[in-house]
């Protein structure tokens, strides 16, 4: 079975679905090897099942990457101090900058460490899934014994078994304290890294006299406070008749389809 | 399914992905919030209007996805008058909006508008998922304004054993995560997908490629796909409060919740309650919803369980047959 043969219309292998079909080709080849290897009983069959399971584990690890995964390498997450400055006591005219660099470097290291711990747990889940999958595989039927090529439905059945095993193994680890701790460490390290990055950006913005997030937040809080005071004043106004306040419509607001403006039923 | 066939069907389906299918009119707005009234499709049953309060997460058109997958249309066809709150897409200017703003100002404004328009003292309310939590809080704070309350896939006890999202949330420094900004809808989406990553992130696409050639099914898939990834950012302050007070401290179930300085006591909820639960819901486990029965003071609290998942409660064929009928039948008796 060669999924790439189904292009038909001449859509090239660089289409957006091509990686998926290449993955399917690898899956079909690995499944074929497993079925051929499991025709004989005993250690050879067990080895074939293990190999198939390990293939699935490696293949699946690449599919899931956390979208927030940073790569705080050199020149990545914020300014990192030169290695010589990492642990050097901060003093002198550049003291504040050195502390800032050290904090950024620490945040980057924490993030990398947390990401690594989380990825190890993911790998453990996939390893457990592969073991469960290998144990769950049915002995080959007579069609395999005659060397017949497995059909799409047979391969799909194998795939669905893999998904079941993967979800069960993942759920077992995801519900554990170690996973929730690792995930929380990763989220908290990401937050700390972002905070240091924001501080670095604000420093440069101030140097160029550009508006900063801190300034805008201060202004926004003042506006919110004024709006709240106005609402309270309107609520206490004895001459006020409309119980529902209405803000002017936002001209930037999206207008869904199938709508019309109406005020009363 | 041949690759060319896949492309053709997906491209055709993409043109049908309108956000919602039933005609409605804008009747009130405040900031990003839009209050809609759906145009009737059947003679009025005479029932008190029903205000649907959706979650702040995701978009409400899931309840009106397509003509044969619309809970709202099912309710309209039964002669109910339906209003829907669309919270909109928060941006940086909304970062300091709190739960008190959402419940006591924005939701209250919608309720007041509907009551004034119909010259009523109280309306019916349907809260969906997190919207159910907001509805419970509103009803507890303003008991005279809600006549009957329906909650659908609504978490109440956030510390049940099967609640994976709650386990993950408990050790996160939410204040650091939010900072002074909003929370990315895209990041939250990835968290939700991480609850069942293999089924939600891979298997469903394989099923699409190897499944039926039915264009209607592909259309439906693409509409749901649009909804899943159409995730608004969340106002930072409200998000921080919600995760801290509900997911981490479970204040609602522990009777320790205050909104705008006032106690939210579910024991004071004496109004009729209908609680709709999906027994296969992986996002809001059934025990998290079922807890409502033991926490409220109302003697008229009905729990209905459907063998459906979280999204199935909105769009499955079974939900279309059973959920609107359950709501209409229950309301008709009250």
């Amino acid at each position: 079975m060669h999924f790439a043969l189904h292009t038909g219309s001449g859509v090239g292998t660089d289409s957006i679905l091509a990686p998926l079909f290449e993955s399917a080709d690898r899956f079909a080849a690995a499944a074929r090897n497993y079925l051929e290897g499991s025709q004989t009983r005993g250690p050879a069959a067990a080895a074939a099942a293990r190999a198939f399971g390990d293939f699935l584990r490696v293949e699946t690890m690449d599919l899931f990457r956390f979208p927030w995964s940073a790569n705080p390498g050199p020149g990545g997450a914020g300014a990192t101090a030169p290695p010589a400055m990492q642990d050097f006591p901060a003093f002198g005219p550049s003291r504040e900058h050195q502390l800032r660099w050290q904090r950024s470097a620490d945040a980057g290291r924490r993030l990398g460490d947390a990401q690594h711990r989380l990825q190890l747990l993911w790998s453990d889940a996939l390893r457990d899934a592969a073991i469960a999958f290998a144990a769950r595989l049915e002995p080959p039927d007579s069609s395999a014994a005659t060397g017949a090529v497995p059909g799409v439905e047979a391969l799909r059945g194998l795939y669905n078994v893999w998904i079941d095993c993967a979800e069960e193994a993942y759920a077992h680890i995801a519900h554990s304290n170690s996973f929730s701790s690792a995930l929380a460490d990763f989220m908290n390290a990401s937050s700390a890294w972002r905070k240091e990055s924001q501080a670095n950006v604000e420093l440069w913005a101030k140097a160029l006299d550009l508006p900063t997030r801190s300034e805008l937040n201060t202004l926004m809080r003042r506006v919110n406070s004024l709006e709240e005071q106005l609402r309270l004043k309107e609520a206490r106004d004895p001459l006020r008749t409309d119980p529902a306040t209405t803000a002017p419509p936002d001209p930037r607001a999206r207008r869904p389809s199938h709508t019309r403006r109406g005020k009363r039923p | 399914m041949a690759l060319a066939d896949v492309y053709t069907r997906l491209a055709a389906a993409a043109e049908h992905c309108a956000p919602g299918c039933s005609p409605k009119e804008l009747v009130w707005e405040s900031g990003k919030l839009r209050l809609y009234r759906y145009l009737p499709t059947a003679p009025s049953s005479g029932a008190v209007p029903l205000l649907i309060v959706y979650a702040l997460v995701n978009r409400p058109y899931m309840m009106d996805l397509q003509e044969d997958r619309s809970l709202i249309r099912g309710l309209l066809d039964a002669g109910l008058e339906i209003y829907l709150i669309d919270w909109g897409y928060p941006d940086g200017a909304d970062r300091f909006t709190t739960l008190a703003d959402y419940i006591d100002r924005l939701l209250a404004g919608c309720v007041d508008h509907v009551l004034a328009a119909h010259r009523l003292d109280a309306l019916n309310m349907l809260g969906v998922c997190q919207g159910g939590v907001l509805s419970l809080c509103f009803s507890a704070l303003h008991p005279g304004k809600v006549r009957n309350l329906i909650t659908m896939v609504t978490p109440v006890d956030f510390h049940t054993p099967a609640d994976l999202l709650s386990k993950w949330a408990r050790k996160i420094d939410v204040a650091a995560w939010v900072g002074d900004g909003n929370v990315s809808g895209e990041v939250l989406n990835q968290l939700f997908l991480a609850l069942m990553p293999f089924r939600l992130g891979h298997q469903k696409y394989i099923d699409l490629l190897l499944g039926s050639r039915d264009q209607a099914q592909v259309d439906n898939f693409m509409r749901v796909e649009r909804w899943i990834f159409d995730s608004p950012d969340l106002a930072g302050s409200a998000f921080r409060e919600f995760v801290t007070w509900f997911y981490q401290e479970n204040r609602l179930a522990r009777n320790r919740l205050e909104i705008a300085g006032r106690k939210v006591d579910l024991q004071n909820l004496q109004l009729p309650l209908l609680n709709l639960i999906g027994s296969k819901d992986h996002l809001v486990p059934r025990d998290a919803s079922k807890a409502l029965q033991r926490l409220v003071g109302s003697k008229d609290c009905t729990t209905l369980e459907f063998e459906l998942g979280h999204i199935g409660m909105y769009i499955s064929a079974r939900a279309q047959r059973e959920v609107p009928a359950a709501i209409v039948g229950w309301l008709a008796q009250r």
Side-chain angles (χ1 to χ4, degrees):
Chain A
M1 175 78 52
H2 191 61
F3 284 89
L5 291 176
H6 286 244
T7 53
S9 68
V11 177
T13 54
D14 59 351
S15 69
I16 55 171
L17 287 178
L20 192 60
F21 283 90
E22 285 161 6
S23 176
D25 283 342
R26 291 194 295 272
F27 176 87
R32 195 180 309 118
N33 288 339
Y34 156 71
L35 290 168
E36 288 168 357
S38 57
Q39 288 176 33
T40 55
R41 306 285 175 187
R50 256 197 318 276
F52 191 27
D54 285 342
F55 159 78
L56 289 168
R57 182 183 187 188
V58 170
E59 190 76 6
T60 306
M61 272 196 81
D62 280 342
L63 291 175
F64 298 102
R65 284 199 178 86
F66 293 97
W68 53 74
S69 62
N71 189 17
T80 51
M85 301 282 282
Q86 214 64 355
D87 300 312
F88 204 75
F91 63 92
S94 66
R95 178 186 183 280
E96 297 305 315
H97 296 294
Q98 184 181 338
L99 286 176
R100 182 170 51 81
W101 291 333
Q102 287 173 346
R103 284 195 305 269
S104 293
D106 285 342
R109 263 199 308 274
R110 265 187 65 198
L111 181 57
D113 290 346
Q115 188 175 17
H116 182 69
R117 277 199 304 278
L118 201 52
Q119 285 174 335
L120 277 177
L121 286 169
W122 263 97
S123 180
D124 288 348
L126 289 170
R127 176 205 59 210
D128 294 346
I131 292 171
F133 177 71
R136 203 181 286 193
L137 290 178
E138 294 288 334
D141 60 17
S142 58
S143 65
T146 61
V149 175
V152 172
E153 285 309 311
L155 290 174
R156 191 175 178 181
L158 276 174
Y159 169 78
N160 287 339
V161 171
W162 162 246
I163 294 295
D164 289 343
C165 292
E167 286 289 0
E168 284 170 20
Y170 173 75
H172 181 72
I173 282 185
H175 275 272
S176 67
N177 282 334
S178 54
F179 188 90
S180 58
S181 294
L183 181 61
D185 286 346
F186 178 77
M187 298 288 289
N188 296 340
S190 298
S191 301
W193 171 80
R194 187 188 61 193
K195 184 182 174 187
E196 294 304 326
S197 301
Q198 285 172 330
N200 290 329
V201 170
E202 285 226 350
L203 187 70
W204 288 107
K206 284 177 192 171
L208 297 172
D209 199 24
L210 293 171
T212 66
R213 173 46 60 195
S214 302
E215 290 167 356
L216 288 171
N217 284 351
T218 300
L219 288 171
M220 209 172 302
R221 285 194 173 98
R222 290 180 188 172
V223 168
N224 286 352
S225 175
L226 287 170
E227 282 181 336
E228 181 62 25
Q229 290 174 39
L230 187 58
R231 275 193 290 271
L232 288 172
K233 187 170 182 296
E234 283 181 346
R236 284 193 295 262
D237 186 349
L239 297 177
R240 184 171 159 273
T241 54
D242 182 8
T245 59
T246 304
D250 184 349
R252 295 165 300 166
R254 298 185 191 196
R255 194 74 71 195
S257 60
H258 292 293
T259 60
R260 70 171 200 229
R261 218 170 230 284
K263 293 297 180 188
R264 297 185 68 85
Chain B
M1 203 189 290
L3 181 59
D5 198 27
V6 170
Y7 274 128
T8 303
R9 294 190 184 282
L10 289 176
E15 295 174 7
H16 302 295
C17 287
C21 62
S22 301
K24 57 188 185 290
E25 59 181 2
L26 177 66
V27 296
W28 188 70
E29 55 192 333
S30 177
K32 306 287 190 316
L33 180 148
R34 303 287 182 270
L35 176 65
Y36 291 103
R37 173 184 168 265
Y38 280 87
L39 302 183
T41 61
S44 172
S45 65
V48 165
L50 178 69
L51 174 63
I52 298 178
V53 183
Y54 200 77
L56 301 173
V57 180
N58 289 122
R59 301 287 296 137
Y61 57 78
M62 185 50 128
M63 303 192 70
D64 187 36
L65 191 71
Q66 59 192 53
E67 287 191 10
D68 62 340
R69 293 283 192 269
S70 170
L71 290 185
I72 286 177
R73 189 157 290 203
L75 296 172
L76 288 169
D77 290 346
L80 293 187
E81 184 135 20
I82 305 293
Y83 287 82
L84 175 83
I85 297 177
D86 183 341
W87 300 108
Y89 291 83
D91 60 25
D94 302 301
R95 63 186 64 218
F96 298 123
T97 305
T98 63
L99 283 180
D101 288 321
Y102 277 113
I103 295 169
D104 243 6
R105 182 166 60 84
L106 295 171
L107 174 50
C110 293
V111 169
D112 287 343
H113 176 88
V114 174
L115 294 179
H118 291 267
R119 296 189 181 89
L120 293 170
D121 294 328
L123 49 62
N124 292 331
M125 190 176 283
L126 165 59
V128 182
C129 193
Q130 184 193 33
V133 180
L134 303 180
S135 301
L136 284 167
C137 293
F138 179 86
S139 302
L141 294 173
H142 305 274
K145 292 190 174 180
V146 182
R147 182 169 169 158
N148 299 293
L149 177 61
I150 304 154
T151 51
M152 185 167 150
V153 293
T154 295
V156 181
D157 184 349
F158 286 76
H159 284 187
T160 56
D163 196 335
L164 184 55
L165 210 52
S166 171
K167 286 179 185 172
W168 288 355
R170 264 175 254 182
K171 299 178 184 178
I172 294 176
D173 184 346
V174 185
W177 179 8
V178 173
D180 276 335
N182 289 341
V183 174
S184 163
E186 189 176 344
V187 169
L188 277 185
N189 230 349
Q190 297 299 326
L191 263 178
F192 296 145
L193 292 177
L195 296 173
M196 282 202 303
F198 300 95
R199 294 197 208 288
L200 300 177
H202 202 255
Q203 186 182 42
K204 73 173 190 180
Y205 298 108
I206 298 294
D207 288 345
L208 173 71
L209 291 174
L210 298 180
S212 165
R213 294 166 185 256
D214 186 345
Q215 181 65 45
Q217 289 185 358
V218 176
D219 285 353
N220 176 262
F221 180 92
M222 292 297 281
R223 288 194 185 96
V224 176
E225 195 74 350
R226 172 183 178 158
W227 174 81
I228 287 171
F229 295 104
D230 185 4
S231 303
D233 293 344
L234 298 188
S237 293
F239 179 84
R240 185 180 60 247
E241 290 171 350
F242 193 85
V243 175
T244 306
W245 296 349
F246 294 89
Y247 275 99
Q248 293 187 339
E249 299 175 3
N250 206 16
R251 288 188 186 184
L252 185 64
R254 290 179 176 167
N255 200 23
R256 293 179 189 168
L257 180 67
E258 282 188 7
I259 299 289
R262 288 181 292 154
K263 182 89 179 290
V264 175
D265 190 349
L266 292 181
Q267 275 294 313
N268 286 342
L269 276 180
Q270 300 295 331
L271 76 173
L273 277 156
L274 173 63
N275 191 16
L276 305 175
I277 297 174
S279 60
K280 295 182 178 177
D281 194 335
H282 73 288
L283 206 54
V284 180
R286 64 186 287 275
D287 288 343
S289 293
K290 218 171 172 188
L292 183 65
Q293 184 99 33
R294 63 176 167 81
L295 291 171
V296 294
S298 172
K299 298 288 186 288
D300 182 3
C301 183
T302 306
T303 299
L304 289 180
E305 219 169 302
F306 299 86
E307 213 175 314
L308 296 167
H310 195 78
I311 293 181
M313 284 289 286
Y314 308 130
I315 61 167
S316 68
R318 183 172 180 176
Q320 310 315 306
R321 287 194 306 271
E322 298 182 11
V323 173
I327 292 173
V328 170
W330 183 82
L331 284 174
Q333 294 171 359
R334 291 162 181 81

